[in-house]
């Protein structure tokens, strides 16, 4: 149980779990408290009628920090790698066209007009400098390549990654590597090609685990053992003046109120909860955190018999990552992942499974629809794209009012103000997907950094 030197981690999503694990590896006593019944936060996997559906993320890119973590907790043998050449499709006038993911393909794709291709061709020779002010993704793309590329390529990808609105998302915060390319090379395409030559051009593989993404949280939970408690909701954090340990915490464990004293607190919860928890420490946190918007999302996972699918309009049948939908297609689907084509063990023999996403910043009304309405829209639109006849064999729906934090214009300024405020509040550390990137890999990398900061501050105290 907790002692005076314990580091408390609040929130058992991947950010909190990875931070608690790293703190433990650095030799610090740690206690993680998670409000819900399970660890993993957004990440979960359900088994239903012989199908395996991931809730939330469907795969991850294996970054160095994530790869180290997976090795440390003994999951290398459970790892699945998708074929990095698996095509991604974009819907255009009802047909699935391969997404052009390299400069030569950009020049050949029927997704873009001749005029746009000419701009792409000329871009390496027209040096530009990003403006000093934060720029939206949409403004950046229009400035460099025009509205056609924005509508037909960038908007679908932005929906797929961020569920975001390109008119609001900040290119420097949401796609920092793109901004750096322009800063360094004056050209995004020339910069990308130079870096590709220098670093090797292989596209990173998408990964999952044999038993689904829940495996990651489950393995961390096992490793943390008694140091991670579920159904333990933090209700208040307060400073204990002139006393070490510095913070008092009250929490409800299985319905009863308890309290403890800890040396430091890592708050790894979404912004609304972080603001509430830190209000007594410094209301300045809440004022900054309130400026970060979230996109709501609905996810519909479904299974079909292969005989129900008559997919004639994709290059390689059902081989591939899935498809993304430009808004001009007039559908509510943002995109669909072809789970059973990406990873084995997702569907029974002669069956296929798909996960579709709806809502996001460009279609917020979806959040107010009933589950039946959402499921009907997802089924009918997926059927029209993939030529499916009949109802799904099984279906699983999930909704988040606050799914993904949006790195909109001004995000960098908010994050650096939060960093300054944390630095002026010794013993309080922030982790979570709103700070250094929402992907699982970014969350783990940031959690490691925070754990190292905690260790440094403890050794300095
Ligand atoms: C639909 C969707 C699809 C995604 N797809 C991908 C993908 O394909 N690849 C990828 O890499 N990433 C993807 N992501 C992003 C990634 O999954 C998340 O950014 C990441 O899992 C967030 O982890 P977290 O720990 O920061 O937050 P969360 O998972 O939100 O965890 C926060 C935890 O804090 C707990 N908590 C809150 N308040 C309290 C309290 N008072 N006391 C105790 N506990 C509390 C919550 O219960 C929760 O468990 C996706 C996200 C979504 C929503």
């Amino acid at each position: 149980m907790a002692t005076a030197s314990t580091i408390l981690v609040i929130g058992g999503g991947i950010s909190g779990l990875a931070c608690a694990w790293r703190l433990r590896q650095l030799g610090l006593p740690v206690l993680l408290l998670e409000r819900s019944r399970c660890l993993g936060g957004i990440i979960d996997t359900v088994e239903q009628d012989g199908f395996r559906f991931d809730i939330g993320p469907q795969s991850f890119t294996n970054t160095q920090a994530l790869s180290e973590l997976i090795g440390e907790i003994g999951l290398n043998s459970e790892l699945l790698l998708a074929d990095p050449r698996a095509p991604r499709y974009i819907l255009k006038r009802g047909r699935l066209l391969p997404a052009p993911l390299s400069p030569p393909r950009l020049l050949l794709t029927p997704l873009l007009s001749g005029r746009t291709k000419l701009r792409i061709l000329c871009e390496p020779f027209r040096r530009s400098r990003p403006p000093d002010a934060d720029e939206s993704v949409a403004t950046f793309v229009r400035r460099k390549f025009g509205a056609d590329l924005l509508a037909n390529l960038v908007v679908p990808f932005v929906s797929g990654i961020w569920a975001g609105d390109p008119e609001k998302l900040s290119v420097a915060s949401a796609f920092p590597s793109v901004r750096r390319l322009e800063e360094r090379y004056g050209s995004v395409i020339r910069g990308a090609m130079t870096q590709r030559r220098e670093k090797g051009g292989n596209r990173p593989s998408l990964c999952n685990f044999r038993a689904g993404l829940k495996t990651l949280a489950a393995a961390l939970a096992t490793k943390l053992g008694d140091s991670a408690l579920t159904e333990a909701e933090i209700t208040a954090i307060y400073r204990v003046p002139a006393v070490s340990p510095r913070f008092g915490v009250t929490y409800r464990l299985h319905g009863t109120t308890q309290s403890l004293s800890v040396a430091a607190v890592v708050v790894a919860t979404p912004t609304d909860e972080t603001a509430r928890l830190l209000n007594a420490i410094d209301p300045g946190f809440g004022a900054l955190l309130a400026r970060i918007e979230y996109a709501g999302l609905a996810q519909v996972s479904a299974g079909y018999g292969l005989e129900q699918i008559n997919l004639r309009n994709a290059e390689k049948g059902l081989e591939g990552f899935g498809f993304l939908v430009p808004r001009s297609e007039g559908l509510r689907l943002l995109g669909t992942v072809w789970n059973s084509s990406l990873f084995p063990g997702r569907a029974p023999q002669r069956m296929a499974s798909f996960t579709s996403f709806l809502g996001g910043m460009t279609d917020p009304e979806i959040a107010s629809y009933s589950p039946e309405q959402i499921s009907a829209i997802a089924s009918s639109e997926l059927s029209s794209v993939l030529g499916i006849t009949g109802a799904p064999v099984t279906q699983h729906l999930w909704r988040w009012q606050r799914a993904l934090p949006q790195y909109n214009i001004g995000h960098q300024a908010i994050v650096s103000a939060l960093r300054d405020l944390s630095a002026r509040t010794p013993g309080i550390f922030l982790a979570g997907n709103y700070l250094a990137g929402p992907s699982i890999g970014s969350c783990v990398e940031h959690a490691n950094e925070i754990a190292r900061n905690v260790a440094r501050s403890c050794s300095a105290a």
Side-chain angles (χ1 to χ4, degrees), residues 196-256:
R196 224 173 182 199
R197 266 198 309 277
E198 286 168 6
K199 294 183 187 164
N202 290 345
R203 211 185 301 155
S205 274
L206 289 173
C207 306
N208 203 316
F209 298 100
R210 267 175 230 295
L213 274 171
K214 191 180 180 174
T215 305
L216 184 59
L220 280 163
T222 306
K223 290 280 178 194
L224 288 168
D226 291 348
S227 307
L229 303 182
T230 54
E231 293 183 79
E233 179 180 8
I234 304 283
T235 48
I237 310 172
Y238 50 92
R239 222 186 280 272
V240 184
V243 177
S244 178
R246 298 189 183 108
F247 300 101
V249 171
T250 57
Y251 63 103
R252 268 195 298 273
L253 181 65
H254 306 136
T256 61

Side-chain angles (χ1 to χ4, degrees), residues 11 13-15 34-35 41-42 56-59 234 273 433 438-440:
I14 189 61
S15 299
E34 161 57 41
R35 173 168 69 182
I42 287 165
Q58 305 296 301
S59 59
I234 304 283
E273 194 61 14
N433 62 358
S439 69
I440 297 174

Side-chain angles (χ1 to χ4, degrees), residues 6 17 33 36 73 99 108 165 203 207 227 251 257 273 276 285 288 292 298 315 333 352 359 397 405 437 442 451:
T6 294
L17 285 168
L33 298 184
S36 66
I73 58 177
L108 296 172
D165 179 352
R203 211 185 301 155
C207 306
S227 307
Y251 63 103
T257 299
E273 194 61 14
R276 192 181 69 75
F285 282 105
L288 290 165
I292 300 175
E315 198 181 43
L333 284 188
L397 182 133
S442 307

